[in-house]
Structures are given as C-alpha cells and as structure tokens.
Amino acid sequence: MVKIEAFAVEQWMDKYETTAKYNTAETCCASISVNDLRTLSDDKESDPLAQLQSTKLTYGAIRGSDKLRNTLANLYSVRAPTQLPKDNILITPGAIQANFLLLYTLVGPGDHVICHYPTYQQLFSVPASVGAEVSLWKSKEADGWQLDIEELKGLIRPNTKLIIINNPQNPTGAIIPRQTLEQLVGIAREQSIIIHSDEVYRPLFHNISPADPRFPPTLLSMGYEHTVVTGSVSKAYSLAGLRVGWVASRDSSIIESLANARDYTTISVGQIDEAIASFALAPDCIHNLLKRNLDLARTNLSILEKFIDAHRWACEWIKPQAGTTAFVRFNKMGKPVDDVAFCEMLQERTGVMLVPGSLCFGVGEDFKGYVRIGYVNETEVLEQGLDALGKFMEDGYEDVPAKKHLSK
C-alpha cells in the first residue's frame, strides 16, 4: 500500500472554511458566476451554456476539447519562439489532478526529485509516497524567498529525474525571476533533467511589471524541451468550481505518458466545465477577467500592507509580488508564536480563518510563527477580517503562546 503523508493544508481548509466568518485563507481570486463572466466578456451575444442545451452529455473529448486546448496553446505561445501544438496539452480535473498525474507517472523508486520549498505539500509528498527520494531546494526569507542556484548544483545527483518549482510561489507570493529560470534551464539541460513548473498562480503578477527584466516567463517559452507546466482556472481566473486544469509540455512523449496513465483515473473533464473555461479564457473575456483580478489584488494587497505596517510590533513579511497569498510571521517578544494555536484561537474567537505555516507548509521545525493569508477575496471580506484580527491583536494576542523549542 502506498504510504502518503496527511495533506495538512487541505485538511485544515476542509475543517474550517465552511464555518469561517471571514475566510482570509482562500487562495483563489474572488469567485465569479457564469453571469459575471458574460458581463466581463466583450462578446455579449454568446452564452457558454447555450450550445450545451441540446448536446448529449457523453464523456466528451477525452484529452480535452479542441477549443480549449487551442486557446491554451495560443496563450502559451505568446512571446515563445515556436507555437505550442494543442496536442501537447492535456486537460485535467483541476491543477491538483494535473500535478498528481504528472508525479505519479514520471517518478518512482530509485529516482531523485528536487523540490522548491516552501510550497504546496503535494509537490514533495507525492514523489516521496511513490518511492522517490526528495531533496528540498529551500528559498529563504532573508533572501526575499529567492532560490540559490549554487545550492541547486549541490543537490543534483546522478539519478535526479525531476526538478519541481512553483512560480509564483505558494505561500509566499514570491517569483522566480527570469535570470534564475535561465540558469535552472541551463543546469537541467546538461543532464536532461525534467523541470516541472506549477504555474497555477500565473499570470497574476500584480507587483512586478512585464517590462521588468526579472519578470518570469512561462517555463514553456524558454527553449528547453524537457519542461512541463501545470495550471488551472481556479486561482488567477476565479473559477475553482469548474475543476478544470491542464498539463502542457514541449515534450510530446510526456503528454502521451500522462494520457495513458489518466485512462485509469478520471478519463475526461465534464463538457459543461470545459465550455465555461473556454469562454473565460477566450480573447473576448480573458483580458477583462485578468484586469478585474489584478485590480482586486493590488487594492487588497495595499489594505493588507497597511495592516502589517500598523502591527510591526507583532508581525513582519516579505511583500508578495504575485499570486494571492502572503506568508506573515507573528512573534511575541522576539519569539515566534505557536501558529497553530494562534489560528485556532483566532477562528474560535473571531471567525477569522488563517492557515498555520508550520503545520501546513513546514517540515520539522520550519516556519514556526508563520501564517498564510489569502488576500484576493472580496475586499469587504478582507477589510472585515483584518478589522476582527486587529481587535484580537489588542484584546486576545496576549493569550497566544509562544512556540516552544523541541528538546534534542
């Protein structure tokens, strides 16, 4: 039987998100309806559901509809040296299934995997569960959550099969800049190591301009065949309820391997979900949808920044450059708080939901005192949640215990 670690962040979200009064742990841009999409779209005549009224609801296109795959292929081909063929894209039920399918298919016992850290637990727990050895390529807060290429060189082994990155990064909101990506590709190319980039928060770059030389392109545009990316409509596109994600690669053999493995699991994605996703990502809609979410991210990040600045006596952060999450460290008299106790007390007393960093993102003693805050929800929810958090900081923070060091 495969042994897999409990998925801490998902279990935490499942436990609290339906009862939270202020869900400031949500990682998706504020969700929208089909009617909202139609309002955002410049195509006022089309209805993404109309054509399905008389369509027989079969499994549909097993690898994904041509319409959706063509739309994604065009998006990935912007500023790329060559067009990405639609057949190099596989549609999946969300990015979480895309990641699992990729990791389950590509690695196994005897393989070595290097994973960007901190990140979504799935990206390092799944390879370990199927028998691969996993090394963590650690980004550090002192370096602005940036990665050290020299450290990567020291992690590579003769059996290194896969390097995994998360760009933009969950939970910190940091980016891996272009120069680092170029160096990473150069190193991987020398040994034909596959690079997997989880780009589920792309293209929500709200605190860095595309004109900035550090601005990160999608990994698919960097001229290295053995790259594979995953994405979805959940985070940057506000449509988590569709459960539509994808895997894309310049290496068609990777897509074929994943398609063969996927025959044993989900077979296809629902036609209704695909139709709405196609409508959202089409040129008539995607730019307006992204503008809505970028504006929301900038507005809300400014609100969160004011809160952090007003509570510097208890918390600090590296301001996110992209995505929807911030990683904030809370302390008492210079010692990190017990972040699990903090989040539990906050939920119980105020209904404000945050995610404890040490439980949900840390290995061992890492990330004591950190919490992940999701800030691209409805502005009113964030404002009210931070107001309740601020009152707790005045009246209840003294009750939060500091984190105790484990004895050696």
Side-chain angles (χ1 to χ4, degrees), residues 44-79:
K44 302 302 181 185
E45 302 301 321
S46 297
D47 180 347
L49 297 178
Q51 67 185 41
L52 291 169
Q53 301 298 321
S54 58
T55 299
K56 294 185 183 298
L57 295 179
T58 65
Y59 283 109
I62 300 302
R63 297 194 180 196
S65 68
D66 284 351
K67 183 176 182 180
L68 181 55
R69 290 190 296 152
N70 274 321
T71 296
L72 288 167
N74 290 334
L75 289 174
Y76 279 117
S77 299
V78 174
R79 298 188 180 88

Side-chain angles (χ1 to χ4, degrees), residues 78-91:
V78 174
R79 298 188 180 88
T82 58
Q83 174 76 19
L84 181 72
K86 71 172 175 60
D87 290 338
N88 285 47
I89 298 173
L90 182 67
I91 306 302

Side-chain angles (χ1 to χ4, degrees), residues 389-401:
L389 174 57
K391 291 175 181 176
F392 177 84
M393 298 298 290
E394 295 174 5
D395 302 331
Y397 192 63
E398 62 182 17
D399 299 332
V400 178

Side-chain angles (χ1 to χ4, degrees), residues 204-226:
L204 202 69
F205 298 102
H206 46 72
N207 205 24
I208 181 171
S209 165
D212 191 314
R214 298 173 301 146
F215 189 87
T218 174
L219 199 67
L220 289 185
S221 70
M222 303 197 70
Y224 179 46
E225 181 180 5
H226 301 309

